[in-house]
Amino acid sequence: MINYFDPGSDLDLGTPQRLSDVQVSLVIDGRSISVPAGTSVMRAAAMLGTSIPKLCATDSLEAFGSCRMCMVEIDGMRGYPASCTTPVGEGMVVRTQTPRLADLRRNVMELYISDHPLDCLTCSANGNCELQTVAGQVGLREVRYGYDGANHLDDHKDVSNPYFDYEPSKCIVCSRCVRACEDIQGTFALTITGRGFDSRVAAAGGDDFLSSECVSCGACVQACPTATLSEKSLIQLGQPERAVITTCAYCGVGCSFRAEMKGDQLVRMVPDKHGGANHGHACVKGRFAWGYATHPDRITKPMIRKRLEDPWQEVSWDEAVTYAASELRRIQLKYGRDSIGGITSSRCTNEEAYLVQKLVRTAFGNNNVDTCARVCHSPTGYGLKQTLGESAGTQSFDSVMLADVVLVIGANPTDAHPVFGSQLKRRLRQGARLIVIDPRRIDLVDSPHARAELHLQLRPGTNVAMLNALAHVIVSEGLLDQRFIDARCETEDFARWRDFVAQPDNAPEVLGPVCGVPAEQIRAAARLYATGGNAAIYYGLGVTEHSQGSTAVMGIANLAMATGNIGREGVGVNPLRGQNNVQGSCDMGSFPHELPGYRHISNESVRAEFEQAWGVTLQPDPGLRIPNMFEAALDGSFKALYCQGEDIAQSDPNTQHVTAALLAMECVVVQDIFLNETAKFAHVFLPGSSFLEKDGTFTNAERRISRVRKVMEPLAGKADWEATLALADALGYHMDYQHPSQIMDEIARLTPTFRRVSYAELDRHGSLQWPCNDAAPDGTPTMHIDQFVRGKGRFMLTGYVPTDEKVNSRYPLLLTTGRILSQYNVGAQTRRTGNVAWHDEDRLEIHPSDAESRGIADGDWVGVGSRAGQSVLRARVSSRVAPGVVYTTFHFPESGANVITTDNSDWATNCPEYKVTAVEVLKVFQPSEWQKRYQSFSDEQRRLLKERRQAEKVEVRR
Ligand code: SF4
Ligand code: SF4
Ligand code: SF4
Ligand code: FES
């Protein structure tokens, strides 16, 4: 295995990098160096290879100057300035090592050590402790003060956090943790209490870390130079031996990590400071919640059964894929070629998604392939393609650091995209202004040192009305960027759009009451967005998962074009993609109408290219989307499904409809790491591999392709891509790849936007943002710079059509759904980690006035009923939601959030309308009928799994 651990590249240069056109020359210990103005003396010395002792400084944080360990002598300066807080000056002459400095540093170190437990040999940080290193560096040989004076050795240890311990007896009060929490994470959970000798680190808002405001991002743990804040896994397993750079498998931020290993055991995940998306930061999921990868619930043997009532039988890989293939062929023979299909996974790699769609189009011989983006960001693909010409976000995350105004609509970055959320908060603390458009008071509306100037708390389902009202103000108040429009956009489409939004019907005074937002607030938001400087829009599933999701995406693109806020840094249209590789799975041709690179299947020349490469004839018509597959299954024309890494039985709307469709199929093949909800309806189970067990790539929300690198062997013996190859082989279509890099080479050959992508180039660059081709060999951080991908930008008409899902006297409240920081999607991974300490059930948020009128108190069990179904959850009475609106997460299958959601969907893409369901909420005392049925079916399926046995002979039906 290649070891990507290059300690040299992770050298801590002491203070952050400074960028400047002005170079400053100085001499340090007789050697000359030129560095950008503003660089610290400490960093300049480190760049020369001179390591000045330091304790409170680190290059991820601004210098603080508290430990006095880094003193130097500078000609012409009095005393011994701290090199971390002293900027370089032209002609400066610095000495870092003199007898006097050595004495002073030893004295300081002596004081630290006199109040430190001398348990280095048994300390978890032994061998990787900065205090230990600096003690050695300064040549400390004795402690003249002894160890009997006042000390902190008996301070109480806090082990409440599931992932890290706080051992205050080892604290040197350098405040790196406090600054990391403030500057990097932006939570401000830590503080130094007391003064002088009594100074101690404390987590605010609770008695211990777990009950405090801490969100367990781990930035403080990473910043701590001692073992005071230490990962539990490190304490348990000891120091790692090697590290491999890989990519987080949770959300669409795509953080880069050093997976630090000891043998084949993962010791800890440390965010990679060179990571293009995260720059050394992470959240509780990526950094800590990886225990699911080796959880005892993992199924590592292929299994088959004829009927759902039968116990599972463990079989060899060969037997499993042969059985699956024979069933798929039998069904095609009986019901026709189009009676089967496949679903690619946005949790798997690009290479794996590519293979599944290739398998469907070649071995299955149809286009019945879809992906979970259907239920999240398919409207983004459609809406941005129509207006801008490319189905992807326009910027890098870093671009936000140049935004003056940020408009967040239908997204909750601090929970769902936490590392971007921290970056956004940093920009807000620097002075950028924020508009939040959301039915719920998300954390960003009012977080420490960052608050929204405007929170437009609209009624769920009225995004398009809101966007039209904003556009109306921009047009009618003359806030258009006419120069940009004339130069960059289709004239006639613009004129049509301008006349449409200018209509009095679209005025805030008319649409404001529809949205439930005062007209003046809408006018203020439009003015701020159009005139506040660089304005960037960030949006999420609160925009797309509506009956008019695609219309809203086009409305957002219209706003950006109308104000010239696109085509440079600091602006743009930025969909915050949900899953780690949802961008990639779409790029890879997972939709039934598109081949890789978003090229329509009906395009003859594109088809010809793939036909030649794959040696088959492709069907020219789009295949079935996921909801069409369900309909067809219930009609009796769709009989078998190969579902890789997606839990449709939990994640798709109207659960009872989905499970009825699954029950109607004759063969369901599920490939996953756990017996998820869909697998309970499966006939063949192919054990999946976690991101730690395979090579490949993920593509994040900024189109950044990053390497996923294998750090341990697949527990089931095959990585997911190998399982798909085996299934293809069993179906008689041989795919010849020895390594995922060869799959990427084929993708690059066949996909113009990926032409220059290869594993070698990814290793060289770290990551690449597509388009990456001859025109842009180093990738494309910002899109549409000189012209739109489609040539001229196209304004689209966005008439507001209210959803059919309306409140009435029977269903008077609107339910909307979302995510929470500690859990991830269907929860299959995070529910099997320590993250349940923060969120162990889905709750229903209800406004105090709605709760009171129904006699509901916080913690009560409440029945939530919609036109689709009923479930029971516990209530959380909260004014985060407006009166008339209730909200829940959907991370636990037994809460049945999707039993309640309907199968209404986006007019263009069928993306479900998760965000608007009319419901009634009543106090109840027992589970819903669905929950009772679910519980008994689930218990039975778990029993059948538990009693699984080795198959003696596999009967293949022909
Ligand atoms: S884990 Fe993160 S949020 Fe918690 S105290 Fe540390 S830096 Fe702050
Ligand atoms: S906990 Fe660690 S980082 Fe924080 S003040 Fe103590 S030694 Fe420094
Ligand atoms: S922000 Fe997203 S990608 Fe980054 S560590 Fe958290 S879950 Fe992983
Ligand atoms: S490292 Fe400079 S004062 Fe602490």
Side-chain angles (χ1 to χ4, degrees), residues 164 177 180-181 185 187 189-190 209 213-221:
F164 61 83
C177 54
C181 191
Q185 166 58 23
T187 293
L190 296 181
F209 265 90
E213 288 155 13
C214 164
V215 294
S216 202
C217 70
C220 55
V221 181

Side-chain angles (χ1 to χ4, degrees), residues 108-176:
V108 177
M109 182 50 86
E110 254 183 290
L111 285 170
Y112 279 120
I113 297 299
S114 68
D115 182 13
H116 199 80
L118 296 178
D119 61 355
C120 289
L121 287 183
T122 53
C123 177
S124 62
N126 189 17
N128 189 20
C129 167
E130 292 183 43
L131 187 67
Q132 205 178 47
T133 307
V134 175
Q137 224 178 344
V138 302
L140 186 72
R141 296 291 171 260
E142 57 170 347
V143 174
R144 289 165 296 167
Y145 314 112
Y147 305 100
D148 302 329
N151 60 52
H152 298 88
L153 301 186
D154 293 329
D155 280 8
H156 174 69
K157 191 168 164 178
D158 178 355
V159 296
S160 62
N161 185 288
Y163 300 116
F164 61 83
D165 290 352
Y166 169 53
E167 196 172 347
S169 63
K170 295 185 172 170
C171 180
I172 58 170
V173 203
C174 65
S175 108
R176 271 162 65 161

